[in-house]
Amino acid sequence: MSAIADVAKLAGVSKATASRALSGKGYVAEPTRLRVTEAAAQIGYVASPNAASLVTGQTKNVGVVIPFINRWFFAEVLEGIEEALLDRGYDMTLYNLSADSPDRGRIFEFFLARKRFDGVIAVGVEMSADETARLHSLGKPVVGVGGPLPGIHTIGIDDVATARLATEHLLRLGHTAIVHIGGRQAEQMDFAVHGKRLTGFLEAMHAAGLPADGVFETEMSLPGGYEAGLRVLGDPRRPTAVFAASDEVAIGAIIAARQLGILVPAELSVIGIDGHEYADMFRLTTLEQHPRSQGTLAVELLMAEVGASDQLPTEPSHTLIPVDLAMRVSTRAPGTSAS
Amino acid sequence: MSAIADVAKLAGVSKATASRALSGKGYVAEPTRLRVTEAAAQIGYVASPNAASLVTGQTKNVGVVIPFINRWFFAEVLEGIEEALLDRGYDMTLYNLSADSPDRGRIFEFFLARKRFDGVIAVGVEMSADETARLHSLGKPVVGVGGPLPGIHTIGIDDVATARLATEHLLRLGHTAIVHIGGRQAEQMDFAVHGKRLTGFLEAMHAAGLPADGVFETEMSLPGGYEAGLRVLGDPRRPTAVFAASDEVAIGAIIAARQLGILVPAELSVIGIDGHEYADMFRLTTLEQHPRSQGTLAVELLMAEVGASDQLPTEPSHTLIPVDLAMRVSTRAPGTSAS
DNA sequence: ATGAAAGCGCTAACAC
DNA sequence: GTGTTAGCGCTTTCAT
């Protein structure tokens, strides 16, 4: 006998009434509702989401596709999503989609095709037209975090503008020997993040009439920043400031600087992008991009679409998260020491 | 019409045969099987796991309960689990169970009660007798990572022994002024990890006939290690070696050391526990505890139980992951400089 | 080796 | 307001 039948019997009502009482949908007399909820509590009844999904089509589950778990920005977005989802009674199913792994195909063709979710959040995943089409054909809403994606609602920062902002901050302090350490252009992340941040840097330098020949490529990670930092700063004609394409790269570079006996920020200003919680510790200036809130916002966007699935789809938009210079600014004018 | 009915019609067989052909269970003539799989491929058929679960009770989904996503050890375990699960065609549903948040109750009483999974992996979560009982009553296998849990299979490292090993390594190098930086005893993590690692330290110091009064408590994180590092190393009578209760604390301490102009490892040896991938960069000696493999192993254990659910339950065991001194040893004898 | 029919646990029409 | 009935899409006896 189905579980809800037990509840119904115990409360002396029909399954239908029990269902209505428990789900809050449809008319149920208050005393009846009470008897049912009590009966449910007594047996410890929890509805089988499978059975419910089968008939309603709603799964109370959201799929998240993400390329990394163990990278600060992504982990943070994930925590934001998870918390927001939990609040709404949703489960989160995680698909760790390594950039160009052979699993990518399987995830789209098999895992996602199972439609175990009411919607999908793609974090930092640039989907091909084919992939978005496939997702759309499932008839489930999709939102993206990280960059514009044709046909779906997305949020993210303006990478070019952010990079320009960071560079301009250094310029404003009087730095002229500025170097950019960024991800390798040959191994772009999705949404060409490496390229966009480089572009912003170049734009700012050109606008200031400065040569922009100080561009160093490395892996977009802490060890990558470290490695590049050693290269950049080992040279006696080293720059007075570094704009790193991510906080992780920036921190790696700072570690390298200290390794070489260079004081940060007294002898070298470093600025990154992310608003990393460790920035203070490393004396790092960073631009705040609120990864946690990006996760929360993505959930809100998705929920709006989940609820309004029968409405006309609104024009897909790309919402830009405002990026601001974090309070913990510790960059200095060149040659300046203590604050 | 149900999707499998479409496949069946296209292949000219009954739903039952189509199901058998697709699932591989039951007798199907080879040519028939072929016709069915082709038909399925043609329509792009993927079985609805909801409907299947409803009748089989199998969900092809595993729930993971974990206190942090954004901490290196946990993120790494998670990636290991996710990969192993994906290989087996399983989905992973994540429950981010913050230590003592009010959500904890909700997760056990509501989310987990929904039984959307064939099993649960609890990572670094010490469950109360009540909680394990509740989980058991769902009739789904559970395995734990991090410490022994009564009644279920678990894996983890021997925290006391590992801490002793780390301390002994420093003693063997000739250090006598050794300090322990660990998590606050008042805010234990689950499984009393802080306490156990402290115990191992004290045991080794006592065995060596040394006073063990150098114990500093802080938050078990990178900033925590930094803060404690400043305290410990600011004192002119500073130690020659630090045993940190985790790599994150160790790295924080090293950052503090460099901030204070102390060279690591030339002037200060630091040892941690985790086998953190960033250890090299920080010149950190660390004990390898293979977090990724712990995730993989947990999945293997769980799968064994999922498959053999009708067998007699084997006696729950706690498997100790061997911990070894990572190759990247850079600790030094006191007062020693370059290698 | 294949098909017909029952039913997993629930919700949604539709009657009353 | 409440009960009756008919499925949701699949797997699984049980016949054949």
Side-chain angles (χ1 to χ4, degrees):
Chain A
M1 174 169 28
S2 74
I4 199 173
D6 293 333
V7 176
K9 190 195 287 181
L10 188 59
V13 297
S14 71
K15 287 199 304 176
T17 305
S19 172
R20 280 189 286 254
L22 262 13
S23 70
K25 297 179 173 198
Y27 299 97
V28 182
E30 188 53 23
T32 317
R33 208 190 55 74
L34 224 67
R35 278 214 319 289
V36 173
T37 44
E38 256 169 38
Q42 192 177 324
I43 334 191
Y45 169 79
V46 175
S48 152
N50 274 326
S53 300
L54 198 54
V55 37
T56 59
Q58 289 246 331
T59 61
K60 287 287 182 182
N61 185 81
V62 164
V64 174
V65 183
I66 200 163
F68 309 99
I69 300 176
N70 190 16
R71 280 262 212 283
W72 185 79
F73 174 78
F74 294 95
E76 199 75 5
V77 172
L78 219 44
E79 289 195 359
I81 293 176
E82 156 77 6
E83 195 188 334
L85 249 24
L86 217 66
D87 278 353
R88 292 167 169 79
Y90 274 71
D91 280 340
M92 175 178 96
T93 301
L94 200 58
Y95 299 96
N96 187 192
L97 180 46
S98 344
D100 32 61
S101 91
D103 287 339
R104 183 168 183 132
R106 275 182 69 227
I107 288 184
F108 278 92
E109 284 155 35
F110 174 64
F111 285 95
L112 294 183
R114 296 206 279 204
K115 311 200 255 193
R116 277 226 243 235
F117 39 75
D118 295 337
V120 173
I121 301 178
V123 184
V125 178
E126 185 159 22
M127 292 178 288
S128 66
D130 202 67
E131 288 166 340
T132 37
R134 190 185 292 276
L135 232 41
H136 267 131
S137 74
L138 300 179
K140 307 283 183 184
V142 185
V143 319
V145 175
L149 237 27
I152 70 175
H153 282 289
T154 50
I155 57 175
I157 63 168
D158 180 335
D159 284 288
V160 177
T162 303
R164 213 188 305 118
L165 195 66
T167 311
E168 283 166 358
H169 174 68
L170 295 172
L171 289 166
R172 212 172 303 120
L173 287 170
H175 291 278
T176 51
I178 306 176
V179 148
H180 173 59
I181 304 182
R184 295 196 188 93
Q185 298 300 317
E187 8 176 293
Q188 283 297 344
M189 281 185 78
D190 279 353
F191 301 117
V193 171
H194 301 175
K196 289 182 188 160
R197 296 190 180 174
L198 170 60
T199 301
F201 169 72
L202 296 177
E203 283 182 11
M205 292 297 273
H206 288 152
L210 288 170
D213 47 0
V215 173
F216 291 76
E217 300 194 341
T218 188
E219 196 198 64
M220 196 80 155
S221 67
L222 220 149
Y226 177 70
E227 178 273 318
L230 291 178
R231 265 190 288 145
V232 172
L233 305 169
D235 191 323
R237 284 171 44 258
R238 62 180 166 77
T240 62
V242 169
F243 160 49
S246 84
D247 276 3
E248 274 163 314
V249 168
I251 290 175
I254 290 175
I255 295 169
R258 298 219 176 125
Q259 201 75 20
L260 296 167
I262 299 166
L263 299 178
V264 176
E267 300 172 357
L268 179 78
S269 287
V270 180
I271 189 164
I273 298 176
D274 270 350
H276 199 294
E277 57 171 332
Y278 298 164
D280 269 337
M281 238 173 56
F282 286 94
R283 303 280 187 271
L284 170 66
T285 297
T286 176
L287 295 171
E288 199 68 83
Q289 62 165 287
H290 315 292
R292 241 198 139 75
S293 324
Q294 290 194 39
T296 312
L297 187 51
V299 170
E300 280 163 14
L301 277 176
L302 190 69
M303 290 298 132
E305 294 200 58
V306 167
S309 55
D310 35 44
Q311 286 179 203
L312 283 179
T314 54
E315 189 60 25
S317 66
H318 182 58
T319 307
L320 288 179
I321 307 291
V323 171
D324 46 84
L325 199 56
M327 289 288 78
R328 54 176 85 98
V329 177
S330 55
T331 31
R332 301 277 165 74
T336 313
S337 65
S339 64
Chain B
M1 176 167 28
S2 75
I4 199 172
D6 293 333
V7 177
K9 191 196 284 178
L10 187 59
V13 296
S14 72
K15 287 198 304 176
T17 305
S19 171
R20 279 189 286 254
L22 261 14
S23 69
K25 297 179 174 201
Y27 298 98
V28 182
E30 188 53 25
T32 316
R33 208 189 54 75
L34 224 67
R35 279 215 318 287
V36 173
T37 43
E38 257 168 38
Q42 192 177 324
I43 333 189
Y45 169 77
V46 175
S48 151
N50 273 326
S53 300
L54 196 55
V55 37
T56 61
Q58 290 246 330
T59 60
K60 288 285 183 185
N61 185 81
V62 164
V64 174
V65 182
I66 201 163
F68 309 100
I69 299 177
N70 190 16
R71 281 263 211 282
W72 186 77
F73 174 78
F74 294 95
E76 199 75 4
V77 171
L78 218 46
E79 289 196 359
I81 292 176
E82 156 76 5
E83 196 189 334
L85 249 24
L86 217 67
D87 278 353
R88 291 168 171 78
Y90 274 70
D91 280 341
M92 176 178 95
T93 301
L94 200 57
Y95 299 97
N96 188 190
L97 178 48
S98 344
D100 32 61
S101 90
D103 287 338
R104 183 168 182 131
R106 274 183 69 227
I107 288 184
F108 279 92
E109 283 155 37
F110 173 65
F111 284 94
L112 294 183
R114 296 205 279 203
K115 308 200 260 194
R116 278 227 243 233
F117 40 75
D118 295 337
V120 173
I121 301 178
V123 183
V125 179
E126 185 160 21
M127 293 177 287
S128 66
D130 203 65
E131 288 166 340
T132 37
R134 191 185 291 275
L135 232 41
H136 267 131
S137 74
L138 301 179
K140 307 283 184 187
V142 185
V143 319
V145 175
L149 237 27
I152 69 175
H153 284 288
T154 49
I155 59 175
I157 63 168
D158 181 335
D159 284 289
V160 177
T162 303
R164 215 188 303 119
L165 195 67
T167 312
E168 284 167 356
H169 175 70
L170 295 172
L171 289 167
R172 211 172 302 121
L173 287 169
H175 291 278
T176 51
I178 306 176
V179 148
H180 174 61
I181 303 182
R184 295 198 188 90
Q185 299 300 316
E187 9 175 292
Q188 282 297 342
M189 281 183 78
D190 279 354
F191 301 116
V193 171
H194 302 175
K196 288 181 187 161
R197 296 190 179 173
L198 171 60
T199 301
F201 170 73
L202 296 178
E203 281 182 14
M205 292 299 272
H206 287 152
L210 287 170
D213 47 0
V215 173
F216 292 77
E217 299 194 341
T218 187
E219 195 197 63
M220 196 80 154
S221 67
L222 221 149
Y226 178 71
E227 177 273 318
L230 291 179
R231 265 190 288 145
V232 172
L233 304 169
D235 190 323
R237 284 170 45 260
R238 63 181 164 78
T240 62
V242 169
F243 160 50
S246 82
D247 275 4
E248 274 162 316
V249 168
I251 290 175
I254 290 175
I255 296 169
R258 298 219 176 125
Q259 202 74 22
L260 296 167
I262 300 166
L263 300 178
V264 176
E267 300 173 356
L268 179 77
S269 287
V270 180
I271 189 165
I273 298 178
D274 271 351
H276 199 293
E277 58 172 332
Y278 296 165
D280 269 338
M281 238 173 58
F282 286 94
R283 303 283 188 268
L284 169 66
T285 298
T286 175
L287 295 170
E288 198 70 80
Q289 62 167 287
H290 314 292
R292 240 197 142 74
S293 323
Q294 290 194 38
T296 312
L297 186 51
V299 171
E300 281 165 12
L301 276 177
L302 190 69
M303 289 299 132
E305 294 199 61
V306 166
S309 54
D310 33 44
Q311 286 178 207
L312 283 179
T314 54
E315 189 60 25
S317 66
H318 182 57
T319 307
L320 289 178
I321 307 291
V323 171
D324 46 83
L325 198 56
M327 289 288 76
R328 53 177 87 98
V329 176
S330 55
T331 31
R332 300 276 166 76
T336 313
S337 66
S339 63

